[in-house]
Amino acid sequence: MISLRRRLLIWLLPAALLAGLLASAATYWGALGELDELLDDQLKGIAQHVVVEPDGRLSLRGMQGANEDRLSGQQSHAVLLQVWRGSTAVFSSDRDSPLPPPTGAGFADLSVNGQLWHSYATRNGDVIVRVAQARRARWEAVAEIAMHLLWPVLSLVPVLALFLWFGIGYGLRPLRKIAANLKRRDANNMHAIGTAAMPGEVIPLVDAINDLLWRLDHAFTAQRQFIADAAHELRTPIMGLTLQADLLPRAASATERDAITAQIRTGTARLAHLAEQLLTLARLSPESPTPDFSEVDLTALARGVISDRVRYAEMNQIDLGLVASGVVKTRGNADSLRILLNNLVDNAIRYAGLQARVDVLVNREDGCATLKVSDTGPGIPEEDRELVWERFYRGSGHAASGSGLGLSIVRRIAEQHRAIVSLGSGENDRGLVVSLRFPPTTPSVAEQGRRHGAIVG
């Protein structure tokens, strides 16, 4: 399991160590310049301690305790002292020094045997006092300073790691609180998590979780309502079938037995249709994945649906036909659109009444494919047109039986296809027209060339 705390520690600890190393390097280079100035002043000061007495003797004030190690110029804490008279060395703190005679007073850099020396000389008559120090000795002094700065940084790494470990743990405490809050909940507790005391960085995560909880609550509520409605709707046909099955053995005559058998078949067909509609509606729930879309010929689709329903229409004495303006195509899922049109045609046949006319109209208006199903039946009153989209709502004044799910399924499929669905009245305010207007698409060349009026029915 990947630990967020460990991951942060792996990134922060090297970053802190690198910052310490960079700070030490910056201090090193800064100290190098400061140390050069300081040691230059030291060279000056030592040179000024050398005094030439009136009798010609040299007096080294303050240098009585000097020794060869102290005055060799090879160590970071030492300098080389020389006194020259002309080109003759009258005094040297290091007799083996290879430095040549000085050429003048002031600061000078000498390169002898591949080694760089930094020197300062003062002139008093024909006497020149020179104080020198190897450049390498200065670098060693700076290196000692840098090491003294680096060791505290390195020694603080464990302490820093400890502070980072507990600091990150403290920073992640809100996440543990959220986890504990969710762990204490059951499936019925979908209340939002409060964000008042949450850090700003955690609020987007909490908002996303709250949005998920809201959607889950909405889905669970819809599911519970759907199950309750389905159970209520299934209870009536099941009870009817149970009652007819109990009456069948008690039938007194063949005629009564045939009547009960016919009622059982009708009830079975109604129950099968209701179960099919329920399964279709469950597949079309908002949480279901969006079906694959492709180019669909609405005219061919309508022709196939009418061919499947023409015998059913004849049994109900319905004149079923197709009015199409050639090939009309749109983007969609052919199976879903077939279910949609099947439901519209079934509803029209079921509720239009005897001797009615049902037409399926396919057209293109203003670049948009349109699909309409109109009938000459009693229609739907204005006050009921918003209610019929609800599940299991059948309205009043209809003798035909139905599941009350057809228009709910139509609306779900229309939403998947971003189509606008509406209810209207037919000619002379009679009947019902269900219209679907699909998003605008560019018709193909073949579709444009084959446009012509066609009536089937």
Side-chain angles (χ1 to χ4, degrees), residues 31 244 297 300 376:
Q244 297 298 329
D297 184 354
T376 58

Side-chain angles (χ1 to χ4, degrees), residues 334-345:
D335 294 335
S336 298
L337 292 177
R338 185 179 298 276
I339 293 173
L340 177 147
L341 191 54
N342 276 332
N343 277 278
L344 290 179
V345 173

Side-chain angles (χ1 to χ4, degrees), residues 269-292:
R270 180 185 175 189
L271 185 61
H273 176 71
L274 177 59
E276 182 181 355
Q277 294 288 74
L278 287 171
L279 292 174
T280 301
L281 193 62
R283 288 197 303 270
L284 296 172
S285 64
E287 293 76 21
S288 301
T290 304
D292 296 330

Side-chain angles (χ1 to χ4, degrees), residues 95-424:
R95 296 178 181 179
D96 298 327
S97 172
L99 295 184
T103 58
F107 287 102
D109 289 329
L110 305 173
S111 180
V112 180
N113 298 330
Q115 186 173 353
L116 184 64
W117 289 78
H118 197 62
S119 67
Y120 178 79
T122 61
R123 179 183 292 273
N124 187 359
D126 62 343
V127 176
I128 298 177
V129 178
R130 178 169 64 186
V131 183
Q133 186 177 41
R135 189 66 179 173
R136 176 179 53 79
R138 293 193 173 190
W139 289 342
E140 291 177 357
V142 176
E144 290 178 4
I145 295 174
M147 288 303 297
H148 285 298
L149 293 173
L150 182 60
W151 279 116
V153 173
L154 294 177
S155 63
L156 285 176
V157 168
V159 179
L160 182 61
L162 191 63
F163 273 97
L164 285 175
W165 181 266
F166 287 102
I168 294 171
Y170 179 79
L172 297 177
R173 183 178 297 178
L175 297 180
R176 291 196 296 270
K177 289 182 179 180
I178 295 172
N181 185 318
L182 295 175
K183 189 178 294 185
R184 289 193 300 267
R185 297 187 177 200
D186 54 26
N188 297 319
N189 186 355
M190 294 292 174
H191 297 298
I193 302 173
T195 58
M198 293 290 175
E201 295 80 3
V202 181
I203 289 179
L205 173 64
V206 179
D207 288 341
I209 293 175
N210 287 337
D211 180 66
L212 176 62
L213 291 175
W214 181 86
R215 286 186 279 117
L216 287 174
D217 184 50
H218 182 71
F220 289 161
T221 301
Q223 185 182 48
R224 286 192 294 266
Q225 185 65 37
F226 177 79
I227 293 173
D229 292 342
H232 175 75
E233 292 297 321
L234 289 171
R235 186 181 296 114
T236 300
I238 290 175
M239 289 180 62
L241 286 174
T242 302
L243 180 60
Q244 297 298 329
D246 290 340
L247 292 176
L248 184 60
R250 304 176 189 175
S253 63
T255 303
E256 184 179 356
R257 185 179 297 105
D258 291 342
I260 294 174
T261 302
Q263 291 180 355
I264 291 177
R265 288 174 179 170
T266 302
T268 303
R270 180 185 175 189
L271 185 61
H273 176 71
L274 177 59
E276 182 181 355
Q277 294 288 74
L278 287 171
L279 292 174
T280 301
L281 193 62
R283 288 197 303 270
L284 296 172
S285 64
E287 293 76 21
S288 301
T290 304
D292 296 330
F293 280 17
S294 60
E295 195 174 57
V296 179
D297 184 354
L298 294 180
T299 305
L301 181 69
R303 188 177 289 114
V305 170
I306 289 176
S307 298
D308 294 339
R309 292 294 184 272
V310 65
R311 185 175 298 278
Y312 178 55
E314 291 175 353
M315 291 173 55
N316 289 272
Q317 301 179 29
I318 298 293
D319 181 13
L320 177 61
L322 169 66
V323 179
S325 58
V327 177
V328 178
K329 295 184 178 181
T330 188
R331 292 282 302 172
N333 182 267
D335 294 335
S336 298
L337 292 177
R338 185 179 298 276
I339 293 173
L340 177 147
L341 191 54
N342 276 332
N343 277 278
L344 290 179
V345 173
D346 282 344
N347 278 0
I349 295 173
R350 191 184 302 272
Y351 295 109
L354 299 177
Q355 306 299 324
R357 178 176 177 176
V358 176
D359 288 324
V360 179
L361 299 94
V362 183
N363 202 350
R364 182 173 290 277
E365 301 176 0
D366 299 328
C368 298
T370 60
L371 178 64
K372 299 179 182 179
V373 177
S374 67
D375 63 69
T376 58
I380 298 176
E382 290 280 351
E383 60 272 12
D384 287 347
R385 288 184 182 176
E386 284 299 321
L387 300 175
V388 294
W389 301 108
E390 301 295 330
R391 296 193 303 259
F392 306 111
Y393 183 85
R394 299 187 184 89
S396 57
H398 294 291
S401 62
S403 64
L405 295 174
L407 289 181
S408 296
I409 294 174
V410 168
R411 191 174 212 174
R412 290 274 182 88
I413 297 175
E415 289 173 351
Q416 284 183 346
H417 290 74
R418 296 187 293 113
I420 300 174
V421 59
S422 60
L423 302 179

